[in-house]
Amino acid sequence: MGEWRLDLQFFAGEKTEKATPRKRQEVREKGQVAKSGDVVSASVLLASFLALSLAGAYERDGLLRLFARALSDYASASLTVDSLHRLFLDWLSHASLLLAPLFAAAVLAAGLANFLQIGALFTVEPLKMDWNRLNPVQGMKRLFSLRALVELLKSVLKAGIIGAVVFAALLAERSELAALVSKTPGEALTVVGGLTVKMGLYAAGALLFLALFDYLYQRFEFEKSIRMSKQDIKDEYKKTEGDPLIKSRIKQKQREMAMRRMMQEVPNADVVITNPTHYAVALKYEDGKMEAPVVVAKGADYMAMKIKEVAKTHGVVTVENRPLAQALYRQTEVGDMIPEAFFKAVAEILAYVYRLKGNV
């Protein structure tokens, strides 16, 4: 049988991974979020009819006053340019007062519905001109895409369910509707108004119920649209953390610079304590300026050999003390004062060095 060979790089471009927090932040800044327009529409509709049901008496009395004024004051007024202007402003002010509760409820519901879905977000990216939207080819693709088909089916489903809910509400009140012919105009208006509000609330509730499923669908589509490939994640990591090769080179340069600075301090040391081959620790002590000797350089193996070479070149005394050299190498860093436990041993070595130099 023949062997199949798979090139794993072929699958590297498939967007199978969840979006990273950085990718989510980037698309959010562009205004791309998981949001259902149906949730906003249903919330506005529900809030409007709730406001109408609560402020029904206010709206009714306001309309009656407006009609009464139209039939009394406006009917007897002479028609001139100034009177028509005043009439328009008067009607506009009264209509504004009547619509204010409904408008406030709708605006509040729309803002709350958007905030609960996406949180606080302000961006002007969606307002920028996108010439692809004017591309007829792209427009035809969107028109006949799977998403367009899903939206069409959703619209048909919403219309069917809401129509059924409204019809059921009307069917339940058929006796009241049949009795309208025997009621006074005021009573009939009350019945029709109450039925209208009831149908609106039922329709808004049904639409809100459907909108919850639409929101889940929009979240699913959004998560699918922002998926990343393994290569995308690698590229993002390089951007945020830096190229590993460059980072390693920077660290290498830093080590080389630290090594050069350390080697420059070896000629100023008083003594170099060695293992003798594996470790080397250079110490310096200035009486009156330092509380204890300070490690100015240390190294193992090749670095220890370099420290000893520099020390020999500049006449720095080298003393072999294996336990002390190993302990100082492991327990101190360059620039540290030696621990108190080594004061006596180092003091004896420094005294020996000073005698060699003739300082004592």
Side-chain angles (χ1 to χ4, degrees):
M1 295 179 63
E3 294 184 357
W4 289 87
R5 293 185 179 181
L6 293 179
D7 185 2
L8 297 181
Q9 291 298 321
F10 177 78
F11 300 97
E14 291 188 359
K15 298 184 181 298
T16 58
E17 307 300 315
K18 289 184 177 181
T20 60
R22 180 182 176 85
K23 176 65 177 294
R24 293 179 183 277
Q25 182 63 29
E26 288 178 352
V27 297
R28 181 178 175 83
E29 291 173 355
K30 295 179 181 178
Q32 300 175 16
V33 290
K35 186 182 75 170
S36 170
D38 289 347
V39 173
V40 180
S41 302
S43 300
V44 170
L45 187 64
L46 181 61
S48 300
F49 277 102
L50 281 175
L52 186 60
S53 65
L54 295 174
Y58 168 79
E59 299 291 338
R60 179 198 61 201
D61 295 341
L63 282 174
L64 291 176
R65 285 194 302 269
L66 189 59
F67 284 127
R69 188 167 184 177
L71 295 174
S72 59
D73 298 342
Y74 299 153
S76 60
S78 59
L79 295 178
T80 62
V81 175
D82 292 338
S83 64
L84 286 175
H85 182 67
R86 288 195 300 272
L87 176 63
F88 173 75
L89 293 179
D90 192 50
W91 270 78
L92 184 62
S93 62
H94 280 80
S96 300
L97 291 175
L98 289 175
L99 294 176
L102 304 180
F103 181 76
V107 171
L108 182 62
L112 184 61
N114 279 293
F115 179 78
L116 292 177
Q117 289 186 86
I118 63 176
L121 175 62
F122 178 78
T123 178
V124 296
E125 286 292 330
L127 302 179
K128 293 183 178 180
M129 177 61 72
D130 186 3
W131 296 105
N132 287 330
R133 295 183 179 274
L134 302 179
N135 189 337
V137 177
Q138 295 294 332
M140 293 298 291
K141 288 182 178 179
R142 289 194 296 268
L143 185 61
F144 296 101
S145 63
L146 178 62
R147 185 178 181 86
L149 179 61
V150 172
E151 293 296 329
L152 176 62
L153 294 176
K154 283 166 45 183
S155 300
V156 173
L157 180 63
K158 285 187 292 185
I161 293 179
I162 293 174
V165 169
V166 172
F167 179 76
L170 285 173
L171 192 63
E173 301 292 337
R174 60 184 181 275
S175 59
E176 288 288 339
L177 292 174
L180 287 178
V181 294
S182 61
K183 295 182 180 295
T184 63
E187 293 174 343
L189 184 62
T190 301
V191 172
V192 172
L195 184 58
T196 302
V197 171
K198 184 181 293 186
M199 288 190 301
L201 291 175
Y202 286 169
L207 183 59
L208 185 61
F209 177 75
L210 296 175
L212 295 178
F213 290 98
D214 181 65
Y215 174 70
L216 296 177
Y217 170 74
Q218 296 298 337
R219 283 194 64 88
F220 170 77
E221 284 292 315
F222 174 73
E223 292 293 334
K224 183 179 177 182
S225 67
I226 64 173
R227 282 179 185 172
M228 304 173 67
S229 64
K230 296 182 183 296
Q231 186 61 42
D232 292 337
I233 296 177
K234 290 180 181 179
D235 294 340
E236 181 186 285
Y237 177 79
K238 288 182 179 179
K239 288 181 181 179
T240 54
E241 301 296 332
D243 193 327
L245 293 177
I246 296 177
K247 290 178 67 176
S248 64
R249 290 176 183 173
I250 292 175
K251 289 182 178 180
Q252 182 180 357
K253 290 292 183 182
Q254 291 174 342
R255 287 194 297 267
E256 291 176 355
M257 293 173 62
M259 188 183 304
R260 284 196 295 269
R261 288 195 299 268
M262 185 179 69
M263 299 305 293
Q264 290 173 357
E265 291 295 325
V266 174
N268 301 323
D270 293 315
V271 64
V272 173
I273 303 175
T274 66
N275 189 30
T277 56
H278 295 292
Y279 299 102
V281 180
L283 302 178
K284 180 180 180 180
Y285 177 69
E286 295 182 13
D287 191 17
K289 296 182 179 180
M290 298 179 179
E291 297 180 1
V294 175
V295 178
V296 296
K298 73 171 190 175
D301 299 326
Y302 174 77
M303 185 55 59
M305 182 180 66
K306 296 295 293 183
I307 291 174
K308 288 186 289 184
E309 289 179 358
V310 174
K312 183 178 180 181
T313 303
H314 292 84
V316 178
V317 178
T318 300
V319 176
E320 179 181 338
N321 189 321
R322 297 188 179 189
L324 182 59
Q326 294 178 9
L328 288 173
Y329 180 84
R330 293 192 178 96
Q331 299 183 33
T332 61
E333 298 294 334
V334 175
D336 291 349
M337 290 189 301
I338 64 171
E340 186 177 354
F342 305 124
F343 279 5
K344 182 178 180 182
V346 172
E348 293 176 353
I349 292 175
L350 288 177
Y352 166 74
V353 171
Y354 292 155
R355 284 196 298 270
L356 289 179
K357 295 181 177 180
N359 293 336
V360 177

